[in-house]
Amino acid sequence: MATKVAAHYISEKVSKVRWLPEKLQQSDRFVTGSWDMDTNFVRVWRLHSNPYAENVDHTPRCNDKVAMENDVTGLEFVNNDTLAVSCADGHISILNVQRAVEEDQIERTARSERLHEFKCSKTSAPCTAIAVYGTDVATVGEDGCVNVLNASNLKQVKRTIEADSMSLLAVTYVGQHQLVTANRMGVIRMFDTRSGGEGQPKIAFMAACQDAKSSNYVSSIATHPMQQHILICGSEEGSITVWDLRNLEYPASYLSAHNSPITDIGFHRQDPSKLFTAAEAGEVWMWSEKKTHIDPSQQDGKSAWLSGDRVRALVNVDGVLTNIRKAVNSFDVHGTRLVCGSDTEAVYIVDDIL
């Protein structure tokens, strides 16, 4: 795989990174959120051509930044210019990115009340992850609660669900009103955001594990962009579990992958035959479906990820980043370009990824 990898040191540990949405062209702007710093920032970056650097086509330059009250734990775009940000102090914020010819700007337009708190001590609980569907923003936290808000009105919580008795680590939408959460014991639950706690369907299933006697917490979850019934989970042991939400009796597939916990997982939005995983050991892998080996008569229109034990024979694995030696916490891919944020206080930009 002929890719170009460039490391750019920014003197901040990066917890989250996202490309700014672009519909008709390759995005050249991205945002980062930091963690474990004296002051944490959300920054907007823009790639500029660099004729002086060898083997580097573009260099990112920070255009603007917004100081946050605590570690950034989630970044998701609500629309092309509106960004939802979650923090470890239990609040979320809405930021607006103003694109310009020279210097882009970013500013905070709203901040929620405290959404997550521990009941006994009444202290704030970290918001651990967020998910976006349309203008709805769902948050989960270490208090085991799910909150659903509208990005245009953070002062009013549309729905609060006491989802679990322990920390929730991941959340994603699988439909307009359906949420999936994952907790620290590897239990995955599905919720309907239209009903309160009593009316919730009792749908729960476990992440697969090599050792049946131990728990395997789910660190990140994602859905297939074109087939939202395909739920893919990255776990503490570095394995990938795939579920078909139409049949929850058993996992559709299980793959041993990394030797360290998976920190982020997701499909390429424009080319869903590509799946990316990042791990604590400083790795990013790309999993590609083998087009030539798929027999349409046997596949019956199914994704390779629903092929059970045969999935290993139906996908290729390429190491995009290796041996960074510190955790890659987040990545995002747009077009042919991948950006990764890590604890090495650097962002890594990979060109020609497809």
Side-chain angles (χ1 to χ4, degrees):
M1 189 173 64
T3 58
K4 294 180 182 178
V5 181
H8 304 278
Y9 291 91
I10 63 171
S11 302
E12 281 184 345
K13 292 181 181 178
V14 179
S15 58
K16 293 292 175 183
V17 60
R18 291 290 181 267
W19 289 110
L20 265 69
E22 294 281 2
K23 291 183 179 177
L24 301 176
Q25 63 187 30
Q26 175 74 62
S27 182
D28 61 354
R29 298 173 172 93
F30 62 92
V31 290
T32 59
S34 67
W35 79 286
D36 195 29
M37 309 300 292
D38 291 336
T39 304
N40 293 291
F41 292 95
V42 173
R43 298 175 183 267
V44 59
W45 303 79
R46 191 167 182 182
L47 298 181
H48 293 269
S49 59
N50 188 349
Y52 304 108
E54 292 184 14
N55 302 321
V56 176
D57 294 334
H58 299 89
T59 301
R61 184 160 63 86
C62 179
N63 283 175
D64 202 3
K65 63 185 181 182
V66 173
M68 307 304 290
E69 289 73 16
N70 212 310
D71 295 346
V72 174
T73 59
L75 288 177
E76 296 294 343
F77 275 93
V78 179
N79 56 38
N80 287 348
D81 304 306
T82 305
L83 179 68
V85 183
S86 63
C87 282
D89 61 356
H91 297 254
I92 69 167
S93 299
I94 294 295
L95 275 57
N96 183 259
V97 180
Q98 297 171 348
R99 309 177 197 220
V101 175
E102 293 294 331
E103 297 284 330
D104 301 328
Q105 293 183 316
I106 186 168
E107 63 177 354
R108 177 155 37 188
T109 58
R111 185 169 185 251
S112 72
E113 305 294 334
R114 184 193 288 177
L115 299 174
H116 298 278
E117 70 173 16
F118 297 112
K119 286 185 178 179
C120 294
S121 62
K122 297 298 180 184
T123 55
S124 64
C127 177
T128 53
I130 58 174
V132 169
Y133 193 102
T135 58
D136 283 351
V137 181
T139 75
V140 294
E142 289 191 6
D143 59 346
C145 286
V146 177
N147 291 288
V148 181
L149 305 90
N150 191 290
S152 60
N153 182 12
L154 293 189
K155 297 302 181 185
Q156 182 178 5
V157 179
K158 290 173 65 176
R159 179 73 62 194
T160 297
I161 303 169
E162 293 187 8
D164 217 309
S165 58
M166 65 181 66
S167 298
L168 296 172
L169 300 180
V171 61
T172 191
Y173 275 94
V174 295
Q176 183 178 359
H177 302 293
Q178 283 74 43
L179 275 175
V180 169
T181 65
N183 72 12
R184 196 171 283 282
M185 291 295 288
V187 179
I188 305 164
R189 302 183 196 274
M190 193 181 300
F191 297 97
D192 190 324
T193 58
R194 292 168 295 187
S195 59
E198 294 299 321
Q200 288 295 336
K202 301 292 189 289
I203 302 174
F205 43 101
M206 288 283 293
C209 184
Q210 285 182 335
D211 182 1
K213 294 183 180 179
S214 63
S215 63
N216 181 26
Y217 75 74
V218 174
S219 49
S220 54
I221 52 180
T223 56
H224 193 286
M226 314 299 281
Q227 303 176 60
Q228 293 222 301
H229 58 273
I230 298 176
L231 181 74
I232 199 151
C233 311
S235 71
E236 172 189 23
E237 67 175 11
S239 63
I240 299 170
T241 307
V242 185
W243 288 90
D244 185 344
L245 296 178
R246 301 168 302 181
N247 180 12
L248 294 173
E249 290 183 29
Y250 49 82
S253 301
Y254 171 82
L255 276 167
S256 295
H258 299 270
N259 292 322
S260 62
I262 290 176
T263 53
D264 201 2
I265 194 167
F267 288 94
H268 192 302
R269 286 186 288 275
Q270 290 87 32
D271 183 3
S273 67
K274 306 285 192 296
L275 174 79
F276 295 86
T277 55
E280 262 186 27
E283 301 169 326
V284 177
W285 292 358
M286 181 173 74
W287 306 71
S288 309
E289 294 183 23
K290 295 180 184 177
K291 302 290 186 187
T292 55
H293 291 169
I294 298 176
D295 182 354
S297 63
Q298 293 182 356
Q299 279 296 103
D300 195 26
K302 280 186 179 180
S303 165
W305 295 104
L306 301 180
S307 302
D309 293 339
R310 294 193 304 120
V311 67
R312 198 44 109 164
L314 296 174
V315 294
N316 283 325
V317 186
D318 292 298
V320 180
L321 287 180
T322 54
N323 298 326
I324 293 176
R325 300 187 181 180
K326 287 192 176 181
V328 176
N329 297 315
S330 178
F331 66 81
D332 196 24
V333 61
H334 186 276
T336 60
R337 205 175 272 156
L338 175 81
V339 61
C340 308
S342 90
D343 284 350
T344 59
E345 300 190 1
V347 291
Y348 299 86
I349 297 174
V350 185
D351 279 308
D352 303 323
I353 194 71
L354 297 181

